[in-house]
Amino acid sequence: MAVKQFKAESKKLLDLMINSIYSNKEIFLRELISNASDAIDKLYFRSLTDSSVGMNREDFKILLAADKDARILTLTDNGIGMTKEELEKNLGTIARSGSLDFKTENKAAEDIDIIGQFGVGFYSAFMVASRVTVVSRAFGSEEAWKWESKGAEGYTLTPADKEDVGTEITLVIKEDTENENYSQFLDEFTLVNIVKKYSDYVRYPIQMYRHKSRMKDKPEDAPEDYKPEYEEYTELETLNSMVPLWKRSKDEVKPEEYNQFYKEKFFDYTDPARVITSRTEGTATYNALLFIPGRAPYDYYTREYEKGLQLYASGVLIMEKCADLLPDHFSFVKGIVDSQDLSLNISREMLQKDSQLRLIRNSLEKKIKNELNAMKNNEREKYEEFWKNFGRQLKFGCYNDYGAHSELLKDLLLFYSAREKKLVTLEEYVQKMGEEQKCIYYAAGENVEQLAKLPAAELVLDKGYDLLLLTEDVDEFCLQVLRSYQDKEFKNVNSGDLGLETEEEKKAAEAAAEENKDLFEDLQKALEGKVKAVKLSGRLKSHPVCLSSEGPLSLEMEKVLNAVPNSQKVQSERVLELNGSHPVFEALKAAKAAGDEEKLKKYAYLLYNQALLIEGMPVEDPLAYADAVCELMK
Ligand code: ADP
């Protein structure tokens, strides 16, 4: 009989299992039971539309049997089974290439990590077994096959006899060593505990014959000093409660159980940040168990990421990832929805139009929002951690669909406050505003430190107003869509009128502008096509010049939009602002008074480029700018 070789990755994983020092070896049972349950799911699902299966829901079960003396543990299921080809393909090749980025170096610490994080399916049997035999008969097939392996050297595949459809896995449990008690996996009591711990919510009964003893009836003619006699018997017991976790009420379930469930089901190794349960009756009847992940999946902000919730109809999985259940702004949520209003055989197309599903979706959206809000109010630190992971998505959510979801999301937003030096909500910002402050001020740019130093930012802070510092590309777009919060408009410190001046200051500025009207006209002409206007500034303290914008597009938004590859380039309506009390302005006035047009042009050019530099924008012609500065020094 030819021994077949494992595929390379499988062999590596197998080696790891066999030599594993991983302490949590008991998970092998969870893995095998979960495979059995999946196999039953498949056949049960089939039975709903195919009468030739000839089985009812209650016929399906998983049977566990331990023989201490022979050191044999058997797990039998009456699921869909495997054909010869499937045995070869499924057990000869590692199936989980996606979730497991396999490392070749066998560093012990890493091994533990891999096993701990993902669970490793069928091969984990080799952590406890010196030989694994799988006898399987696939549904619809007349023949059975036996797959057998003692480990890394390979496996054999031979014809076998099996009366019923399904799979029987036999493990020869390893001998105990100095450090390792393998015999426990033959002990009934231990097995019961392992099943309860990991597989309690498996939907099919997991049964085992348990050895028990009972007191015999006392004989009628028992003597005075009769000692009770006992007899041994066996009884088939169902070990798991079978009620899916999401059908149990929240106070019945321990937090660890939820965490464990989440990690196993959604392949995460971090506990969820929050568990959300929801059951509703009435217009839409469903149970939902949702999780907010504790970290963002590595592909979360890419096209590869697929949102969706697992959808069950009366306890049977009908869709692995139902995208229609989750709005995009909550695409990070993982979980399960189980509804009895849905038909098992509903197609994807029908599902999209299903009004029941829409009701569920809307009610889940509200629920998620409320939970996030509660987290924000009661567990701020945790919420900030959440915000680090998924805040960006909420901001996009505000902006998308022309702000259709901004009402829902606006109170979940956090922004960095320049005065508080921490993240604040819009409500917190507004609460601390004084009577006289009319707008919510913000500055947008690369980083918080630079932003706080912007001339206009300093001016706002000096006035005693707080300022939101926006450093993500989506931020300003998000605020623009919101327009205002509690009737306070958002105001970019670098665009338009800041509204900081008193009436007198305004009048004085108007007078000064009038006085230098010709000068500004000349400067504007010199910068034709570059700026829309040249003005006296109300936002400069010590700097001679700055760039601001008019209209809906800010300088920062221009930068963001133009950074998108292959985008049509946009330009904000730039305004060059001059500081009327700066010596540079005197120089300009002098040049104008002397009628030196060339000089004035050169100054205009220099100041414009300086303003670009301050804004962190590229100067149009660096060489020409450098030459102009040098010439001035000569
Ligand atoms: P996974 O379960 O993550 O796919 P496994 O290595 O545990 O990875 O199993 C590989 C495949 O073998 C399964 O996907 C399934 O198709 C098949 N399989 C395992 N156990 C059984 C079983 N008891 N009955 C039917 N098929 C099984």
Side-chain angles (χ1 to χ4, degrees):
M1 178 181 16
V3 174
K4 305 189 180 201
Q5 297 300 309
F6 286 102
K7 292 266 159 61
E9 301 87 347
S10 307
K11 192 167 176 314
K12 271 184 239 160
L13 183 58
L14 212 54
D15 275 336
L16 213 147
M17 288 299 134
I18 294 163
N19 304 314
S20 169
I21 55 154
Y22 185 54
S23 56
N24 203 18
K25 292 189 162 45
E26 64 191 23
I27 58 132
F28 81 93
L29 194 57
R30 173 192 75 190
E31 300 293 318
L32 296 184
I33 288 175
S34 141
N35 282 347
S37 161
D38 290 348
I40 294 177
D41 267 344
K42 286 178 195 156
L43 191 57
Y44 171 59
F45 195 67
R46 181 98 185 221
S47 76
L48 298 172
T49 53
D50 181 347
S51 61
S52 77
V53 175
M55 307 232 305
N56 295 318
R57 177 75 167 75
E58 53 288 354
D59 297 331
F60 292 101
K61 51 190 54 133
I62 298 164
L63 198 65
L64 199 58
D67 181 335
K68 262 193 172 145
D69 301 327
R71 295 191 76 76
I72 280 178
L73 182 67
T74 321
L75 192 89
T76 315
D77 69 66
N78 51 0
I80 192 119
M82 284 177 275
T83 61
K84 180 188 181 198
E85 289 70 31
E86 283 164 342
L87 279 166
E88 176 118 45
K89 185 173 121 252
N90 294 338
L91 308 186
T93 325
I94 175 167
R96 50 184 70 242
S97 49
S99 56
L100 189 69
D101 182 11
F102 209 74
K103 301 241 163 64
T104 357
E105 322 86 72
N106 265 11
K107 284 192 233 112
E110 269 172 17
D111 301 351
I112 290 173
D113 244 29
I114 290 166
I115 301 169
Q117 287 171 16
F118 297 103
V120 273
F122 173 74
Y123 289 148
S124 59
F126 285 97
M127 290 199 293
V128 301
S130 56
R131 194 188 75 199
V132 178
T133 310
V134 181
V135 176
S136 194
R137 185 174 145 194
F139 170 71
S141 165
E142 290 304 314
E143 46 177 40
W145 284 84
K146 179 165 98 176
W147 180 101
E148 191 164 73
S149 170
K150 286 184 180 166
E153 59 265 36
Y155 60 91
T156 59
L157 204 51
T158 50
D161 282 327
K162 192 171 185 308
E163 214 168 291
D164 308 313
V165 170
T167 303
E168 181 181 278
I169 299 179
T170 307
L171 310 182
V172 176
I173 299 296
K174 290 182 187 174
E175 295 295 334
D176 291 345
T177 65
E178 214 173 294
N179 305 317
E180 217 53 76
N181 170 11
Y182 294 107
S183 299
Q184 60 173 322
F185 302 123
L186 295 161
D187 176 60
E188 278 176 22
F189 186 71
T190 311
L191 290 169
V192 172
N193 281 337
I194 300 175
V195 169
K196 278 209 197 309
K197 179 167 168 192
Y198 295 106
S199 313
D200 200 44
Y201 56 81
V202 166
R203 287 181 297 283
Y204 307 99
I206 303 166
Q207 300 183 323
M208 184 165 75
Y209 280 101
R210 297 200 68 182
H211 292 84
K212 301 190 166 174
S213 72
R214 64 183 156 210
M215 205 192 291
K216 283 188 184 171
D217 289 342
K218 191 172 166 183
E220 299 248 323
D221 54 347
E224 280 287 303
D225 59 347
Y226 170 79
K227 284 213 191 84
E229 280 183 44
Y230 291 86
E231 64 177 354
E232 305 270 311
Y233 72 105
T234 56
E235 191 176 80
L236 192 62
E237 229 181 56
T238 297
L239 312 182
N240 53 330
S241 65
M242 281 183 284
V243 186
L245 201 62
W246 58 91
K247 288 240 167 138
R248 286 160 59 190
S249 89
K250 199 171 185 177
D251 40 80
E252 261 177 37
V253 183
K254 296 196 209 92
E256 304 90 87
E257 285 181 88
Y258 279 131
N259 291 351
Q260 176 80 18
F261 178 85
Y262 165 76
K263 288 191 276 193
E264 261 171 44
K265 194 127 198 144
F266 300 105
F267 304 108
D268 199 347
Y269 51 84
T270 316
D271 284 341
R274 197 171 180 94
V275 179
I276 304 173
T277 58
S278 166
R279 14 162 114 222
T280 328
E281 268 154 44
T283 44
T285 314
Y286 70 88
N287 286 287
L289 175 56
L290 308 183
F291 301 93
I292 295 174
R295 63 182 185 106
Y298 68 94
D299 63 348
Y300 184 60
Y301 290 105
T302 71
R303 265 171 218 270
E304 274 69 55
Y305 181 82
E306 273 181 77
K307 66 166 184 175
L309 298 176
Q310 278 199 345
L311 184 60
Y312 286 78
S314 306
V316 179
L317 183 69
I318 57 172
M319 201 189 281
E320 192 63 51
K321 260 192 186 161
C322 181
D324 295 321
L325 277 171
L326 276 183
D328 278 343
H329 41 272
F330 293 149
S331 64
F332 46 83
V333 175
K334 306 261 184 196
I336 282 161
V337 173
D338 191 350
S339 170
Q340 61 203 54
D341 301 335
L342 296 168
S343 139
L344 269 185
N345 302 313
I346 194 164
S347 71
R348 249 161 226 272
E349 295 72 43
M350 289 295 289
L351 209 49
Q352 267 174 357
K353 293 189 210 111
D354 194 275
S355 60
Q356 222 37 49
L357 200 76
R358 245 201 320 272
L359 283 174
I360 299 178
R361 173 200 156 104
N362 291 344
S363 119
L364 287 179
E365 183 182 40
K366 269 197 216 101
K367 179 83 187 167
I368 297 168
K369 184 219 152 162
N370 291 343
E371 292 280 335
L372 288 174
N373 213 28
M375 190 158 137
K376 182 198 78 189
N377 294 336
N378 310 326
E379 296 177 281
R380 190 55 174 262
E381 219 170 285
K382 217 169 178 190
Y383 188 74
E384 283 181 21
E385 189 62 35
F386 157 80
W387 183 254
K388 235 191 271 162
N389 290 323
F390 302 113
R392 191 176 164 74
Q393 188 66 13
L394 295 191
K395 290 187 279 192
F396 272 119
C398 260
Y399 169 73
N400 283 343
D401 301 333
Y402 307 100
H405 320 288
S406 57
E407 260 315 295
L408 179 94
L409 299 173
K410 66 181 186 201
D411 282 312
L412 297 174
L413 303 176
L414 296 181
F415 295 102
Y416 187 84
S417 145
R419 202 167 61 186
E420 312 267 324
K421 305 222 173 345
K422 63 175 189 189
L423 292 167
V424 298
T425 63
L426 294 174
E427 191 180 19
E428 286 158 359
Y429 181 102
V430 170
Q431 268 167 5
K432 294 204 172 165
M433 278 169 72
E435 268 292 298
E436 73 296 347
Q437 185 180 344
K438 298 283 173 276
C439 316
I440 300 174
Y441 292 100
Y442 70 85
E446 286 288 308
N447 66 61
V448 162
E449 291 74 26
Q450 262 177 32
L451 283 175
K453 281 190 223 139
L454 277 179
E458 281 181 20
L459 207 64
V460 170
L461 288 169
D462 280 357
K463 188 95 184 165
Y465 299 162
D466 196 4
L467 178 71
L468 300 174
L469 303 180
L470 313 183
T471 51
E472 260 192 317
D473 50 9
V474 59
D475 288 350
E476 201 175 357
F477 293 89
C478 170
L479 291 192
Q480 283 235 336
V481 161
L482 282 175
R483 311 257 282 267
S484 64
Y485 182 84
Q486 291 185 6
D487 294 330
K488 313 284 183 209
E489 259 182 64
F490 293 107
K491 187 135 218 85
N492 186 334
V493 296
N494 269 352
S495 63
D497 180 10
L498 280 186
L500 292 176
E501 292 162 312
T502 59
E503 279 307 310
E504 285 133 59
E505 282 170 330
K506 248 189 208 153
K507 279 214 183 93
E510 269 162 28
E514 187 55 38
E515 193 183 311
N516 297 295
K517 211 168 131 228
D518 294 346
L519 171 62
F520 289 125
E521 264 169 24
D522 285 355
L523 291 171
Q524 192 167 335
K525 217 180 283 155
L527 295 173
E528 183 101 50
K530 300 187 200 309
V531 300
K532 190 172 162 262
V534 181
K535 279 187 186 164
L536 212 51
S537 180
R539 74 186 95 233
L540 283 170
K541 254 172 57 180
S542 49
H543 288 69
V545 65
C546 76
L547 215 50
S548 70
S549 66
E550 277 175 2
L553 198 63
S554 77
L555 298 169
E556 192 55 30
M557 289 164 92
E558 173 189 326
K559 269 190 250 173
V560 171
L561 290 175
N562 288 342
V564 177
N566 300 327
S567 62
Q568 252 201 336
K569 298 297 174 223
V570 295
Q571 215 189 67
S572 54
E573 292 180 0
R574 297 174 180 188
V575 176
L576 187 71
E577 298 193 9
L578 298 172
N579 184 345
S581 43
H582 196 280
V584 158
F585 193 63
E586 295 307 315
L588 286 170
K589 279 207 280 197
K592 172 72 185 164
D596 192 342
E597 271 181 42
E598 271 315 299
K599 200 171 197 175
L600 210 53
K601 260 193 202 156
K602 215 167 267 167
Y603 281 177
Y605 175 77
L606 281 171
L607 286 171
Y608 172 64
N609 279 293
Q610 273 191 40
L612 284 174
L613 285 171
I614 292 172
E615 259 316 303
M617 298 175 111
V619 295
E620 281 163 12
D621 184 346
L623 208 62
Y625 175 67
D627 283 347
V629 174
C630 289
E631 196 172 317
L632 206 69
M633 293 172 72
K634 271 194 282 192

PDB file of all heavy atoms in Angstrom, residues 176-195:
ATOM      1  N   ASP A 176       1.389   8.847  27.931  1.00  0.00           N
ATOM      2  CA  ASP A 176       1.750   9.985  28.785  1.00  0.00           C
ATOM      3  C   ASP A 176       3.262  10.161  28.825  1.00  0.00           C
ATOM      4  O   ASP A 176       4.011   9.198  28.695  1.00  0.00           O
ATOM      5  CB  ASP A 176       1.245   9.753  30.220  1.00  0.00           C
ATOM      6  CG  ASP A 176      -0.265   9.827  30.267  1.00  0.00           C
ATOM      7  OD1 ASP A 176      -0.857  10.326  29.285  1.00  0.00           O
ATOM      8  OD2 ASP A 176      -0.844   9.365  31.266  1.00  0.00           O
ATOM      9  N   THR A 177       3.687  11.386  28.988  1.00  0.00           N
ATOM     10  CA  THR A 177       5.112  11.643  29.172  1.00  0.00           C
ATOM     11  C   THR A 177       5.273  12.335  30.524  1.00  0.00           C
ATOM     12  O   THR A 177       4.289  12.580  31.229  1.00  0.00           O
ATOM     13  CB  THR A 177       5.646  12.584  28.073  1.00  0.00           C
ATOM     14  OG1 THR A 177       5.009  13.856  28.247  1.00  0.00           O
ATOM     15  CG2 THR A 177       5.364  12.040  26.690  1.00  0.00           C
ATOM     16  N   GLU A 178       6.518  12.675  30.811  1.00  0.00           N
ATOM     17  CA  GLU A 178       6.806  13.315  32.087  1.00  0.00           C
ATOM     18  C   GLU A 178       5.992  14.604  32.260  1.00  0.00           C
ATOM     19  O   GLU A 178       5.494  14.908  33.323  1.00  0.00           O
ATOM     20  CB  GLU A 178       8.293  13.660  32.099  1.00  0.00           C
ATOM     21  CG  GLU A 178       8.944  13.549  33.448  1.00  0.00           C
ATOM     22  CD  GLU A 178      10.435  13.756  33.295  1.00  0.00           C
ATOM     23  OE1 GLU A 178      11.091  12.894  32.642  1.00  0.00           O
ATOM     24  OE2 GLU A 178      10.916  14.785  33.786  1.00  0.00           O
ATOM     25  N   ASN A 179       5.873  15.345  31.146  1.00  0.00           N
ATOM     26  CA  ASN A 179       5.222  16.651  31.234  1.00  0.00           C
ATOM     27  C   ASN A 179       3.784  16.669  30.772  1.00  0.00           C
ATOM     28  O   ASN A 179       3.089  17.657  30.938  1.00  0.00           O
ATOM     29  CB  ASN A 179       5.978  17.662  30.357  1.00  0.00           C
ATOM     30  CG  ASN A 179       7.432  17.719  30.709  1.00  0.00           C
ATOM     31  OD1 ASN A 179       7.776  17.724  31.886  1.00  0.00           O
ATOM     32  ND2 ASN A 179       8.281  17.723  29.690  1.00  0.00           N
ATOM     33  N   GLU A 180       3.391  15.590  30.140  1.00  0.00           N
ATOM     34  CA  GLU A 180       2.122  15.671  29.433  1.00  0.00           C
ATOM     35  C   GLU A 180       1.206  14.530  29.810  1.00  0.00           C
ATOM     36  O   GLU A 180       1.567  13.366  29.704  1.00  0.00           O
ATOM     37  CB  GLU A 180       2.459  15.624  27.934  1.00  0.00           C
ATOM     38  CG  GLU A 180       1.624  16.467  27.024  1.00  0.00           C
ATOM     39  CD  GLU A 180       1.520  17.934  27.395  1.00  0.00           C
ATOM     40  OE1 GLU A 180       2.488  18.698  27.156  1.00  0.00           O
ATOM     41  OE2 GLU A 180       0.454  18.293  27.904  1.00  0.00           O
ATOM     42  N   ASN A 181       0.017  14.906  30.256  1.00  0.00           N
ATOM     43  CA  ASN A 181      -0.962  13.893  30.605  1.00  0.00           C
ATOM     44  C   ASN A 181      -1.974  13.748  29.467  1.00  0.00           C
ATOM     45  O   ASN A 181      -2.953  14.480  29.390  1.00  0.00           O
ATOM     46  CB  ASN A 181      -1.661  14.304  31.908  1.00  0.00           C
ATOM     47  CG  ASN A 181      -2.856  13.433  32.220  1.00  0.00           C
ATOM     48  OD1 ASN A 181      -3.061  12.389  31.596  1.00  0.00           O
ATOM     49  ND2 ASN A 181      -3.672  13.853  33.174  1.00  0.00           N
ATOM     50  N   TYR A 182      -1.682  12.800  28.568  1.00  0.00           N
ATOM     51  CA  TYR A 182      -2.593  12.594  27.441  1.00  0.00           C
ATOM     52  C   TYR A 182      -3.798  11.741  27.831  1.00  0.00           C
ATOM     53  O   TYR A 182      -4.846  11.826  27.213  1.00  0.00           O
ATOM     54  CB  TYR A 182      -1.868  11.937  26.259  1.00  0.00           C
ATOM     55  CG  TYR A 182      -0.809  12.817  25.640  1.00  0.00           C
ATOM     56  CD1 TYR A 182       0.547  12.569  25.826  1.00  0.00           C
ATOM     57  CD2 TYR A 182      -1.175  13.897  24.852  1.00  0.00           C
ATOM     58  CE1 TYR A 182       1.509  13.382  25.260  1.00  0.00           C
ATOM     59  CE2 TYR A 182      -0.221  14.728  24.275  1.00  0.00           C
ATOM     60  CZ  TYR A 182       1.128  14.453  24.485  1.00  0.00           C
ATOM     61  OH  TYR A 182       2.065  15.258  23.926  1.00  0.00           O
ATOM     62  N   SER A 183      -3.610  10.932  28.855  1.00  0.00           N
ATOM     63  CA  SER A 183      -4.690  10.016  29.259  1.00  0.00           C
ATOM     64  C   SER A 183      -5.972  10.756  29.630  1.00  0.00           C
ATOM     65  O   SER A 183      -7.065  10.209  29.541  1.00  0.00           O
ATOM     66  CB  SER A 183      -4.249   9.170  30.445  1.00  0.00           C
ATOM     67  OG  SER A 183      -3.132   8.401  30.086  1.00  0.00           O
ATOM     68  N   GLN A 184      -5.812  12.008  30.039  1.00  0.00           N
ATOM     69  CA  GLN A 184      -7.011  12.768  30.423  1.00  0.00           C
ATOM     70  C   GLN A 184      -8.022  12.838  29.279  1.00  0.00           C
ATOM     71  O   GLN A 184      -9.225  12.964  29.514  1.00  0.00           O
ATOM     72  CB  GLN A 184      -6.628  14.175  30.870  1.00  0.00           C
ATOM     73  CG  GLN A 184      -5.922  14.965  29.789  1.00  0.00           C
ATOM     74  CD  GLN A 184      -5.696  16.426  30.176  1.00  0.00           C
ATOM     75  OE1 GLN A 184      -6.543  17.044  30.804  1.00  0.00           O
ATOM     76  NE2 GLN A 184      -4.541  16.953  29.828  1.00  0.00           N
ATOM     77  N   PHE A 185      -7.517  12.749  28.044  1.00  0.00           N
ATOM     78  CA  PHE A 185      -8.433  12.840  26.913  1.00  0.00           C
ATOM     79  C   PHE A 185      -9.208  11.536  26.677  1.00  0.00           C
ATOM     80  O   PHE A 185      -9.940  11.409  25.701  1.00  0.00           O
ATOM     81  CB  PHE A 185      -7.682  13.285  25.653  1.00  0.00           C
ATOM     82  CG  PHE A 185      -6.996  14.608  25.832  1.00  0.00           C
ATOM     83  CD1 PHE A 185      -5.617  14.742  25.636  1.00  0.00           C
ATOM     84  CD2 PHE A 185      -7.718  15.720  26.254  1.00  0.00           C
ATOM     85  CE1 PHE A 185      -4.992  15.961  25.836  1.00  0.00           C
ATOM     86  CE2 PHE A 185      -7.097  16.944  26.459  1.00  0.00           C
ATOM     87  CZ  PHE A 185      -5.723  17.070  26.254  1.00  0.00           C
ATOM     88  N   LEU A 186      -8.996  10.581  27.576  1.00  0.00           N
ATOM     89  CA  LEU A 186      -9.791   9.350  27.545  1.00  0.00           C
ATOM     90  C   LEU A 186     -10.748   9.313  28.734  1.00  0.00           C
ATOM     91  O   LEU A 186     -11.529   8.391  28.898  1.00  0.00           O
ATOM     92  CB  LEU A 186      -8.858   8.136  27.585  1.00  0.00           C
ATOM     93  CG  LEU A 186      -7.963   8.000  26.345  1.00  0.00           C
ATOM     94  CD1 LEU A 186      -6.773   7.098  26.631  1.00  0.00           C
ATOM     95  CD2 LEU A 186      -8.764   7.468  25.165  1.00  0.00           C
ATOM     96  N   ASP A 187     -10.621  10.347  29.546  1.00  0.00           N
ATOM     97  CA  ASP A 187     -11.415  10.386  30.767  1.00  0.00           C
ATOM     98  C   ASP A 187     -12.764  11.061  30.496  1.00  0.00           C
ATOM     99  O   ASP A 187     -12.836  12.189  30.009  1.00  0.00           O
ATOM    100  CB  ASP A 187     -10.625  11.179  31.820  1.00  0.00           C
ATOM    101  CG  ASP A 187     -11.411  11.339  33.083  1.00  0.00           C
ATOM    102  OD1 ASP A 187     -11.759  10.310  33.682  1.00  0.00           O
ATOM    103  OD2 ASP A 187     -11.728  12.491  33.437  1.00  0.00           O
ATOM    104  N   GLU A 188     -13.831  10.360  30.815  1.00  0.00           N
ATOM    105  CA  GLU A 188     -15.178  10.853  30.512  1.00  0.00           C
ATOM    106  C   GLU A 188     -15.426  12.247  31.054  1.00  0.00           C
ATOM    107  O   GLU A 188     -15.924  13.132  30.365  1.00  0.00           O
ATOM    108  CB  GLU A 188     -16.229   9.914  31.122  1.00  0.00           C
ATOM    109  CG  GLU A 188     -16.504   8.716  30.285  1.00  0.00           C
ATOM    110  CD  GLU A 188     -17.486   7.783  30.985  1.00  0.00           C
ATOM    111  OE1 GLU A 188     -18.235   8.256  31.872  1.00  0.00           O
ATOM    112  OE2 GLU A 188     -17.487   6.588  30.648  1.00  0.00           O
ATOM    113  N   PHE A 189     -15.059  12.397  32.308  1.00  0.00           N
ATOM    114  CA  PHE A 189     -15.353  13.643  32.984  1.00  0.00           C
ATOM    115  C   PHE A 189     -14.656  14.822  32.282  1.00  0.00           C
ATOM    116  O   PHE A 189     -15.231  15.886  32.056  1.00  0.00           O
ATOM    117  CB  PHE A 189     -14.914  13.525  34.447  1.00  0.00           C
ATOM    118  CG  PHE A 189     -15.301  14.698  35.263  1.00  0.00           C
ATOM    119  CD1 PHE A 189     -16.637  14.919  35.583  1.00  0.00           C
ATOM    120  CD2 PHE A 189     -14.338  15.589  35.712  1.00  0.00           C
ATOM    121  CE1 PHE A 189     -17.004  16.025  36.328  1.00  0.00           C
ATOM    122  CE2 PHE A 189     -14.700  16.695  36.457  1.00  0.00           C
ATOM    123  CZ  PHE A 189     -16.035  16.913  36.780  1.00  0.00           C
ATOM    124  N   THR A 190     -13.369  14.592  31.944  1.00  0.00           N
ATOM    125  CA  THR A 190     -12.622  15.642  31.249  1.00  0.00           C
ATOM    126  C   THR A 190     -13.256  15.939  29.895  1.00  0.00           C
ATOM    127  O   THR A 190     -13.405  17.099  29.502  1.00  0.00           O
ATOM    128  CB  THR A 190     -11.156  15.194  31.033  1.00  0.00           C
ATOM    129  OG1 THR A 190     -10.653  14.710  32.259  1.00  0.00           O
ATOM    130  CG2 THR A 190     -10.301  16.329  30.513  1.00  0.00           C
ATOM    131  N   LEU A 191     -13.636  14.895  29.196  1.00  0.00           N
ATOM    132  CA  LEU A 191     -14.221  15.090  27.871  1.00  0.00           C
ATOM    133  C   LEU A 191     -15.508  15.916  27.953  1.00  0.00           C
ATOM    134  O   LEU A 191     -15.735  16.838  27.167  1.00  0.00           O
ATOM    135  CB  LEU A 191     -14.500  13.736  27.209  1.00  0.00           C
ATOM    136  CG  LEU A 191     -13.242  12.955  26.785  1.00  0.00           C
ATOM    137  CD1 LEU A 191     -13.601  11.524  26.392  1.00  0.00           C
ATOM    138  CD2 LEU A 191     -12.501  13.652  25.653  1.00  0.00           C
ATOM    139  N   VAL A 192     -16.328  15.580  28.945  1.00  0.00           N
ATOM    140  CA  VAL A 192     -17.577  16.333  29.122  1.00  0.00           C
ATOM    141  C   VAL A 192     -17.264  17.819  29.316  1.00  0.00           C
ATOM    142  O   VAL A 192     -17.873  18.698  28.693  1.00  0.00           O
ATOM    143  CB  VAL A 192     -18.358  15.801  30.342  1.00  0.00           C
ATOM    144  CG1 VAL A 192     -19.545  16.716  30.647  1.00  0.00           C
ATOM    145  CG2 VAL A 192     -18.820  14.379  30.093  1.00  0.00           C
ATOM    146  N   ASN A 193     -16.265  18.077  30.155  1.00  0.00           N
ATOM    147  CA  ASN A 193     -15.923  19.473  30.424  1.00  0.00           C
ATOM    148  C   ASN A 193     -15.401  20.203  29.192  1.00  0.00           C
ATOM    149  O   ASN A 193     -15.719  21.368  28.971  1.00  0.00           O
ATOM    150  CB  ASN A 193     -14.879  19.554  31.542  1.00  0.00           C
ATOM    151  CG  ASN A 193     -15.533  19.378  32.892  1.00  0.00           C
ATOM    152  OD1 ASN A 193     -16.740  19.617  33.034  1.00  0.00           O
ATOM    153  ND2 ASN A 193     -14.756  18.943  33.869  1.00  0.00           N
ATOM    154  N   ILE A 194     -14.606  19.502  28.417  1.00  0.00           N
ATOM    155  CA  ILE A 194     -14.068  20.146  27.213  1.00  0.00           C
ATOM    156  C   ILE A 194     -15.203  20.462  26.233  1.00  0.00           C
ATOM    157  O   ILE A 194     -15.257  21.540  25.643  1.00  0.00           O
ATOM    158  CB  ILE A 194     -13.002  19.260  26.521  1.00  0.00           C
ATOM    159  CG1 ILE A 194     -11.830  19.003  27.483  1.00  0.00           C
ATOM    160  CG2 ILE A 194     -12.489  19.934  25.265  1.00  0.00           C
ATOM    161  CD1 ILE A 194     -10.787  18.049  26.934  1.00  0.00           C
ATOM    162  N   VAL A 195     -16.105  19.518  26.099  1.00  0.00           N
ATOM    163  CA  VAL A 195     -17.232  19.750  25.180  1.00  0.00           C
ATOM    164  C   VAL A 195     -18.060  20.942  25.647  1.00  0.00           C
ATOM    165  O   VAL A 195     -18.403  21.831  24.870  1.00  0.00           O
ATOM    166  CB  VAL A 195     -18.119  18.487  25.075  1.00  0.00           C
ATOM    167  CG1 VAL A 195     -19.423  18.807  24.353  1.00  0.00           C
ATOM    168  CG2 VAL A 195     -17.378  17.374  24.352  1.00  0.00           C
TER     169      VAL A 195
END
